[in-house]
Amino acid sequence: MSAPSTSPIPVQSSTKGSSERHHELTKGLTTRHIQFIALGSAIGTGLFYGSAGAIELAGPAVLLAYVVAGLAVFMVMRSLGEMALREPNAGGSFGRYARQYMGPGAGFLVGWMFVIEMLVVAIADVTALAVYLGRWWPDVPAWVWITAVILLVTGLNLIHVKVFGETEFWLSILKVGAIIAMILGGLAIIVFHLGQPGSAPVGAQNLVEHGGFAPNGMLGILLSFTVVVFAFGGVETLGLASAEATEPTKAVPRAINTIPWRILLFYILAISVILCLIPWTEITGDESPFVQIFDALGFPWAADLLNVIVITAAFSALNADSFAIGRMLHGLAAQGDAPARFARTNGRGVPFVAVLMVATALVIGLILNVLIPENVFTVIAAIATFATVFVWVIILLSHLGMKRKIARGEIEQGPFSTPGWPVASWLALVFMVLVIVLFAFDESTQPALWAGIVGTIALVAIERFLVRPRRSAQDAATPSRESTL
């Protein structure tokens, strides 16, 4: 009998006998891996840089926006966890749950929407890494860094899932350490008056002065949700990683119950310190608020320190992006919604064909990034924002579908239930739909809405007219093949 840490996770496959082993994932992620994968995925440029945009929209009231969004994301995670733990050894992902509780079309749609979202984000991450590294070695061509980063990430994802887990663990530790250092540094400025990063005196008064706590009113708070919600993007990767957890019934509940609160705590504390140190009117987005704090502490190497942090954040995100895309492609292939070769795994239980496909797509995407005019590519990239919220909506709808089946007695209730059911789940769903609607009220987010609508229609058409007929033909042919055995 194999040890628990290497037990395989079977997936649907038409192959028989020993060939089934080539379609299995290996359980190699520990509880700490699972917790830091989700934590690291959601802490990155959304906090280090994106927070400036949210502050510009809502002022100090952005703190309320982070609390509300955090609670909604917590419900998404609890819903995902309840579906995952009802069948902890079944493998799969939220794409599988959408298929199971909403139908094959929903599984195809959310799976490929997630792949597109993460691929666009991954292209942005690897491009950003080349820019960050270019700060220290400006004479090295960007394509050298891009090639090196793609090869390194691909290699890490091909070795073993444990290697991926360990890499994400330590990278997340560095990111969390940087946030804690920033918070402590900011508190030192406030308590010991070590410096003054803004034009106004430091202190809590900056939360209510300069136009008040909500200077742009309720509309500013609402519009900030389109930025704030995206900052939490990536936590759903936990749903993919849980399929390779050595102890899913222990790791998944612990991660789901603690990760959203930790993320929320880091965001609230960090941004609260920033807003106490710097009047919100001086946060323009031209540079990270973190830079202003480190500069105020009198660190001449503040810019280089921040560069290390953002490199760590970008590489961690890219590593997690590649993992998530590869596992989702593996799951889609197992369901018949992607080429069957993506379901193949190597001797270490890694879906190597899917991982190599991610590397190839990154290269193609980066070439297109250079060839396509910048404004056109920006519209294409905007779909990532829409897709994040769209995936969360489908997770919530899948959970509602599961609950309906439980109520009818078709399936049994699992060991992990969602708090506040059904009111809290419906409120979270309404909130996510509201965020999508809000995209139409800001010129900067309107491209995300239109790109998302067009992308959704295209995926629905592909599933309806190409994938569904092929799937039906395969299902119809299966009995005749078995009868000949």
Side-chain angles (χ1 to χ4, degrees):
M1 179 181 293
S2 59
S5 61
T6 58
S7 58
I9 304 172
V11 298
Q12 300 174 6
S13 173
S14 61
T15 57
K16 302 294 180 182
S18 61
S19 63
E20 288 185 349
R21 292 194 299 270
H22 298 296
H23 294 79
E24 299 169 347
L25 298 175
T26 298
K27 290 189 174 184
L29 297 176
T30 66
T31 301
R32 66 182 174 89
H33 290 153
I34 294 293
Q35 292 196 49
F36 277 87
I37 286 171
L39 182 64
S41 298
I43 294 180
T45 54
L47 175 59
F48 295 121
Y49 282 107
S51 56
I55 293 171
E56 283 186 84
L57 289 169
V62 73
L63 295 172
L64 293 179
Y66 276 106
V67 171
V68 173
L71 291 173
V73 173
F74 174 69
M75 292 307 302
V76 173
M77 296 301 293
R78 287 294 298 237
S79 300
L80 182 58
E82 184 173 354
M83 291 186 288
L85 290 175
R86 205 184 68 80
E87 300 176 88
N89 296 316
S93 66
F94 43 85
R96 174 180 175 272
Y97 307 140
R99 178 186 180 91
Q100 183 174 354
Y101 301 120
M102 296 179 63
F108 175 90
L109 181 60
V110 72
W112 280 105
M113 184 68 79
F114 178 78
V115 168
I116 293 171
E117 168 205 348
M118 299 304 288
L119 183 59
V120 171
V121 173
I123 292 172
D125 286 333
V126 74
T127 304
L129 274 167
V131 174
Y132 299 152
L133 290 166
R135 167 184 169 83
W136 294 324
W137 296 282
D139 296 330
V140 178
W143 67 266
V144 174
W145 297 123
I146 291 173
T147 303
V149 169
I150 292 176
L151 289 175
L152 179 57
V153 168
T154 302
L156 289 173
N157 276 271
L158 284 174
I159 298 173
H160 195 283
V161 71
K162 285 184 178 179
V163 176
F164 164 77
E166 282 296 318
T167 303
E168 279 302 292
F169 174 78
W170 290 109
L171 291 176
S172 296
I173 287 288
L174 290 174
K175 288 193 290 185
V176 170
I179 296 172
I180 293 174
M182 190 284 301
I183 293 173
L184 294 177
L187 292 175
I189 295 175
I190 295 173
V191 175
F192 300 108
H193 304 285
L194 298 180
Q196 187 164 315
S199 61
V202 300
Q205 70 275 3
N206 283 328
L207 296 176
V208 293
E209 295 179 353
H210 313 288
F213 182 71
N216 295 325
M218 182 57 68
L219 180 60
I221 297 174
L222 290 174
L223 292 177
S224 73
F225 282 132
T226 59
V227 180
V228 169
V229 169
F230 185 64
F232 290 91
V235 292
E236 69 274 14
T237 302
L238 176 64
L240 298 166
S242 64
E244 295 173 75
T246 56
E247 297 179 283
T249 56
K250 176 183 177 182
V252 174
R254 183 176 297 178
I256 286 174
N257 286 328
T258 60
I259 293 304
W261 302 114
R262 292 180 184 180
I263 293 172
L264 191 59
L265 185 64
F266 284 132
Y267 272 74
I268 293 298
L269 281 178
I271 295 174
S272 294
V273 168
I274 289 172
L275 291 172
C276 287
L277 293 173
I278 310 167
W280 75 272
T281 52
E282 296 184 20
I283 301 175
T284 63
D286 294 333
E287 64 178 354
S288 170
F290 281 61
V291 174
Q292 292 174 273
I293 291 177
F294 284 120
D295 281 341
L297 287 170
F299 294 156
W301 35 269
D304 285 330
L305 176 62
L306 183 71
N307 206 42
V308 172
I309 294 171
V310 295
I311 287 174
T312 300
F315 186 82
S316 172
L318 178 62
N319 195 37
D321 295 342
S322 299
F323 170 86
I325 298 170
R327 268 50 179 187
M328 180 58 78
L329 287 174
H330 178 272
L332 287 169
Q335 296 172 177
D337 290 334
R341 65 178 65 91
F342 290 153
R344 291 187 60 82
T345 58
N346 59 20
R348 294 177 294 276
V350 174
F352 68 99
V353 178
V355 172
L356 292 175
M357 179 60 191
V358 174
T360 303
L362 281 175
V363 173
I364 295 174
L366 289 168
I367 294 174
L368 292 176
N369 192 5
V370 174
L371 298 179
I372 296 177
E374 183 177 355
N375 59 332
V376 177
F377 187 80
T378 300
V379 174
I380 296 174
I383 197 173
T385 307
F386 176 94
T388 298
V389 183
F390 183 90
V391 167
W392 291 345
V393 167
I394 296 298
I395 289 173
L396 290 169
L397 290 175
S398 301
H399 180 254
L400 292 174
M402 183 194 72
K403 284 293 193 180
R404 284 194 294 269
K405 287 194 173 186
I406 292 175
R408 293 194 297 262
E410 298 177 14
I411 58 178
E412 296 181 358
Q413 171 66 52
F416 192 66
S417 60
T418 303
W421 169 263
V423 176
S425 295
W426 278 106
L427 287 176
L429 181 60
V430 170
F431 173 79
M432 294 302 173
V433 174
L434 172 65
V435 172
I436 293 177
V437 173
L438 287 171
F439 286 170
F441 291 89
D442 190 331
E443 290 185 2
S444 64
T445 55
Q446 286 173 357
L449 178 62
W450 289 113
I453 292 174
V454 172
T456 302
I457 293 173
L459 288 173
V460 169
I462 291 172
E463 193 279 332
R464 176 64 181 85
F465 298 108
L466 296 178
V467 177
R468 190 180 302 181
R470 177 177 55 80
R471 188 191 300 125
S472 299
Q474 290 176 345
D475 292 342
T478 299
S480 63
R481 288 199 303 268
E482 292 179 348
S483 65
T484 62
L485 297 178

